[in-house]
Amino acid sequence: MSIKEKIPVNKETLKERAIKKWRDTKKNANITRELVKKNIKIQYRNSVIGIFWTVLNPFLNMLVMYFVFGTILNYSETDKTYALYLLCGNIIFNMMRGATSQSLTSLVHNRGLLTKNKISYYVFPLSNNLSALVNFLFSCIALLGVMLFVWIRGESVFSWNILLAFLMLPALFLFNYGMSMILATLYVFFRDIQHFYTVFLTLWTYLTPIFYKIDKIDNGKLSGKFIAGVINLNPMYHYVEYFRDVIYRCSSTGQAVPGNLMRLYLIGAAFFVIGVIVYNFTKRKYIFYI
Amino acid sequence: MVNLMENKENLQNENIEVAQSEVVEVKEPENIIEVNNVSMEFFLPNEKVDNLKEFVIRLIKGKMEKKKHKVLDNISFSVKKGESIGLIGHNGAGKSTLLKILTGIMKPTEGSVMVRGTVAPLLNLGAGFDNEASARENVYLNGAILGYSKREIEHKYKEIVDFAELHDYMNMPLKNFSSGMVARLGFAIAIDVNPDILLVDEILSVGDENFRKKCAAKINELRDRGVTFVIVSHNMSQIKNLCQKAVWIEDSHMRAYGDSKEVCDEYIKYCNSLKH
């Protein structure tokens, strides 16, 4: 064997590389689809009412919160559509919670797959985020039910403006996906992040106006101003509020209250880009740590 | 220029290690796999810090330096189209790591790897199996992992179930399967592939006697079709039967490389000498 013979076959051609890339992309898309299907199917397999639980769950949650906070904070008397207020906040926040807390452990939990097959690390957070999105769409059925109820009682006006709500979903998805990648990476290197994140999620829940209303917070005192400032820095506040502007506030007036959609996309894109950078920077090391 | 040097080195290595080299081809079929001077380093597992608490403590104590362990050291070989190669050596010698590098799961610390065509890694049967999901769902998921489209899996589904002989159990969650059944299902999905290269890691002996015979027949069929096998195995007769070439890796170094029969015999001789 001479040296001359060996050199020309040493490199893959550009075309070969492109074909490989395309094949990998298709493969990863297929895996993502199957993972999402599996996630959704398994989630409620062992319950009697099965997939309906996805619809019922946010509704029952809302009832509990309505009972507790509606009474304590007296919202149920001052606001006839408080149920709608609650549900809007709840399902948006739960989409984020579901996506990120599932993704946190996803790389490590799927180590059996990742160490034995060539699968893109992007697939696992992505499939969890898509599952969360599907769950969110199921929750929207509950939301529609409550909207119908409020509308029949004559406490709201119907308007097609509610469809504007879908405009924010891609932005929220980007935000969630970015967060998911950052968290999944952290978990690969530091397993105790899980405990921190559980506590952090509780804090996050309280710093997002899900059951309370923000106008009561800024009472003019320094502490009130501070908390209002912190809440304003919370990305979830802006997502929840936009969704509410369209679904809840719009329903009482019948007119669209245009929120700042641009801001939502900027936040989402920023987190997504950070997530991708973190992922690309560290993904070569994952295999040794998961 | 560097390339040229590497190849010269390669050539010298081969000349030393391959007694009667059959590598010289007359009609020069192209290389389907090329491994050039591949080295791989790991951090020792017990040096690994995997939680924040430990990390902070070590940071304060200033004990962050880590020891590296060389798993593979300067491995070079090539496989031509239609040939198969066996990787032999003791446990922990680095064979599985080499397979992972060939799959693309890991990138080598040094050196380069070129693999042409589609690769199906069978490093572990049912690696992607989810115990909560039904067997049917697992077939679809595992098929996707092996690179099939949905339509292809639907097409192959019956064949896979037939091969695994698990018709009555396909809607059952996998957690209720026996380990033999899981292995059979895994093998049935995995073997129903049509890749250019099949990477196999000690999985060719699953199930009962009947099933094993079926597997052997399937593998011979794939070999006759011209599939290139890269096999890690401790079964020397299997390597001799399937592979033209073999690489013996001992303690992360390449101890021998060449004709599979010669390398295997040498390895067996070495193993016997250790016993006495």
Side-chain angles (χ1 to χ4, degrees), chain A residues 73-143:
Chain A
L73 301 174
N74 218 15
Y75 281 130
S76 46
E77 272 182 29
T78 53
D79 183 358
K80 291 275 185 264
T81 53
Y82 181 60
L84 208 53
Y85 182 90
L86 269 177
L87 199 55
C88 284
N90 231 340
I91 62 176
I92 288 287
F93 197 83
N94 277 343
M95 175 177 164
M96 188 283 294
R97 192 206 312 265
T100 51
S101 49
Q102 291 267 318
S103 299
L104 177 74
T105 55
S106 61
L107 291 180
V108 175
H109 279 183
N110 287 296
R111 74 164 83 77
L113 270 180
L114 288 169
T115 54
K116 303 284 180 190
N117 293 283
K118 201 187 176 200
I119 304 176
S120 164
Y121 290 107
Y122 288 95
V123 161
F124 295 97
L126 180 62
S127 65
N128 287 329
N129 273 280
L130 287 172
S131 310
L133 183 66
V134 173
N135 278 337
F136 171 80
L137 294 177
F138 275 116
S139 316
C140 281
I141 299 175
L143 184 68

Side-chain angles (χ1 to χ4, degrees), chain B residues 22-38:
Chain B
E22 296 293 322
V23 183
V24 186
E25 293 285 334
V26 189
K27 52 183 188 325
E28 339 168 5
E30 60 177 1
N31 285 343
I32 196 162
I33 298 174
E34 249 177 55
V35 176
N36 293 321
N37 306 87
V38 162

Side-chain angles (χ1 to χ4, degrees), chain A residues 10 16 20 191-192 288, chain B residues 34 48 50 52 115-116:
Chain A
N10 215 353
E16 274 179 320
K20 254 186 194 170
R191 298 294 151 84
D192 39 5
F288 305 115
Chain B
E34 249 177 55
K48 226 178 269 173
D50 77 342
L52 205 58
V115 177
R116 265 219 169 102

Side-chain angles (χ1 to χ4, degrees), chain A residues 1-3 5-13 16 20 23 27-28 30-31 33-35 37-38 41-42 45-46 112-119 121 187-193 196 284 287-289, chain B residues 3-4 7-8 10-11 14 23-24 28 34 36 40 42 48-53 55 66 100 103-107 114-116 118 123-124 127-128 130 132-134 137 140-141 144-145 147-150:
Chain A
M1 184 173 21
S2 81
I3 294 162
E5 280 171 331
K6 226 183 161 183
I7 292 167
V9 289
N10 215 353
K11 281 202 177 109
E12 294 166 88
T13 60
E16 274 179 320
K20 254 186 194 170
R23 215 186 281 135
K27 178 178 134 181
N28 287 322
N30 281 331
I31 298 171
R33 193 197 55 233
E34 293 303 326
L35 281 173
K37 264 204 279 188
K38 190 198 76 182
K41 274 187 188 167
I42 289 178
R45 166 161 294 159
N46 296 327
L113 270 180
L114 288 169
T115 54
K116 303 284 180 190
N117 293 283
K118 201 187 176 200
I119 304 176
Y121 290 107
Y187 188 67
V188 167
F189 298 109
F190 308 113
R191 298 294 151 84
D192 39 5
I193 285 292
F196 286 106
R284 272 180 139 225
I287 190 82
F288 305 115
Y289 287 87
Chain B
N3 228 333
L4 220 81
N7 279 308
K8 256 183 192 161
N10 260 349
L11 218 68
E14 276 170 25
V23 183
V24 186
E28 339 168 5
E34 249 177 55
N36 293 321
M40 187 78 207
F42 282 170
K48 226 178 269 173
V49 179
D50 77 342
N51 61 69
L52 205 58
K53 186 188 77 193
F55 182 77
K66 293 177 215 166
K100 281 182 187 172
T103 320
I105 298 169
M106 288 180 181
K107 292 228 159 59
M114 194 273 313
V115 177
R116 265 219 169 102
T118 51
L123 305 194
N124 191 353
D130 188 312
E132 292 297 320
S134 72
E137 282 151 24
Y140 276 83
L141 181 59
I145 289 161
Y148 302 129
S149 70
K150 195 180 172 189

